[in-house]
Amino acid sequence: MYEVFFQKFNEKVQLTAEEQDFVKQYLTPKKLRKKQYLLQEGDICKHLCLVEKGALKAYVLNETGEEHITAFALEGWTIGDLSSFIKQEPATLNIDALEDCELVLLSKPAHDELLQKIPKYETYFRILMTDAYMALQKRTAYMISLPLEERYKALTDMYPTLVQRVPQHMIASYMGLSPETLSRVRSRITNRK
Amino acid sequence: MYEVFFQKFNEKVQLTAEEQDFVKQYLTPKKLRKKQYLLQEGDICKHLCLVEKGALKAYVLNETGEEHITAFALEGWTIGDLSSFIKQEPATLNIDALEDCELVLLSKPAHDELLQKIPKYETYFRILMTDAYMALQKRTAYMISLPLEERYKALTDMYPTLVQRVPQHMIASYMGLSPETLSRVRSRITNRK
DNA sequence: TAAAAGCCTTGACAAAAATCAATGCGTCTC
DNA sequence: GAGACGCATTGATTTTTGTCAAGGCTTTTA
C-alpha cells in the first residue's frame, strides 16, 4: 500500500524504513469510481491527493457552464486545489475521476504536522512545489509563444501517455481550444509529412 | 541594504537579528541600468534575484525573433529562470531591466548552503514556491477560461501598479495578444460603461 | 444484441484576432 | 527647437479559430 506515494517521495528525499512508517500514519487510502468527484467548486479542499492508480482531471466552469480543464493527474502525480488546501478557502476547481482510481490522501492538519515534525517532509514538499512551478512555467511559455502545431507536439512529447489515455476533446480543453480546432491541428500535422 | 528582501522574508518566516546577519553574508547587491540584461537565453542562470527597486521583464524569443513576455518583476518580487537555476542548465528565458534597478542576488551555491544550514530558509523558499505556483495556476485558469475583457480586468485588479507602470504592448505580450487587440479590448471596456 | 451515448472528423459559415498601414502624440536627444 | 523614436489608436483586410450541423465509428448499457 502507498507504493507509488513512497516511490515518488523517495525519488526526491530518501526516507528510512522507520520514517516511512511514521509518515504512513498520516495517510489515508481512497478509491474513486469513474466520474465521481474528488472535489467540487465551493467546497474546501481538505486533502492533497496522490494518484496510485487511475486518472483525474481538474477544471473550472465558466458562467455558461463550459468546462475548462486546468490539469490532469495520472499515476504518481499529485492533484488538488492547492490554493483552497493551503488557505482552507472555498475551491474554484472541480476534480473528478476519468477512470476508477486508487488515491492516497493527506489532510491539511496532517500536512501541517508533517511540516513541523519531519524536516524531510518539508524538503519533499519544497521540491514538489518547485517542480510543479517549473513545469507550469514551461507550459505557460509554450502557450504564449508557440504556434498550435508546436504546442500540440510539445504536449505529446512531454506526456505521451496522457495524450493516448485521455479523450482528445479534453486535451483540446486543456490547451484552450475547441475540439474541432484540435482535430484540424492534428490532421495538419499528419498530412504535412 | 536588503530592506525589501528581508521584509519579504520576514512576512513568510520571522528571522532573528542574528539569523538575518547570517543570511546577509550570502547576498550580493547589484545595480542594473534600464535595458541591461540580467540573463540571456543560453547562459546559465547563476542567481535568483529579488527586486529592491525598479522593474524587469522575462521573455522568450521564438524563431522569428518575436518577444513573448512570461513574467514581470517589481519591487519585492523574485525573478530568474528557475529551471536553469535549479538544474544549472542553459536558460530559455531572457531577463532585462525596464527601469534602472537595484537587485539582491543569491547564487546557486549560496542557495544550496542556506537550504542545508538554515531550516527557516527552506521554509521561506517552500512558501515562495508554493505562492508562486498558486499565482501561476490562477493565471493559467484565467487564460483558458475567461474572455479577453475579463482577463484584462482581472489583471488590472490584481496588479494595478504593473499595468500603470509598464507599456501596454508589453502587457499585451504577457497576455499573448497583439498590441492592437489589447487596445481594442480596452476601448470596448471603457465604452461599455 | 439493439439502442444509446460518446467521440472524432469534416464542411460551411460566423466571429475573433492578427496583420498591415497610417496617424497623432508625447518624450528624448542632439 | 527640430527631428527621431516609442507608444497607442484606428481602419481595412486577411487569417485563424469558433460554432453549428451532419456523419460515421466505437463503446457502453439496458
Side-chain angles (χ1 to χ4, degrees), chain B residues 117-140:
Chain B
K117 294 193 175 165
I118 316 271
K120 282 185 187 173
Y121 179 78
E122 175 150 46
T123 301
Y124 160 75
F125 193 74
R126 187 240 317 154
I127 296 174
L128 184 70
M129 289 296 104
T130 305
D131 288 352
Y133 181 48
M134 291 190 297
L136 190 53
Q137 281 188 320
K138 198 169 170 185
R139 179 180 164 200
T140 308

Side-chain angles (χ1 to χ4, degrees), chain B residues 72 152 163-175 177-179 182-183 186:
Chain B
F72 293 102
Y152 182 72
V163 177
Q164 282 180 336
R165 208 158 142 188
V166 163
Q168 265 155 37
H169 71 270
M170 292 186 188
I171 302 289
S173 169
Y174 179 75
M175 294 178 70
L177 301 177
S178 71
L182 181 57
S183 172
R186 280 166 43 83

Side-chain angles (χ1 to χ4, degrees), chain A residues 148 178 180-181 184:
Chain A
L148 289 189
S178 69
E180 293 92 339
T181 298
R184 285 172 182 128

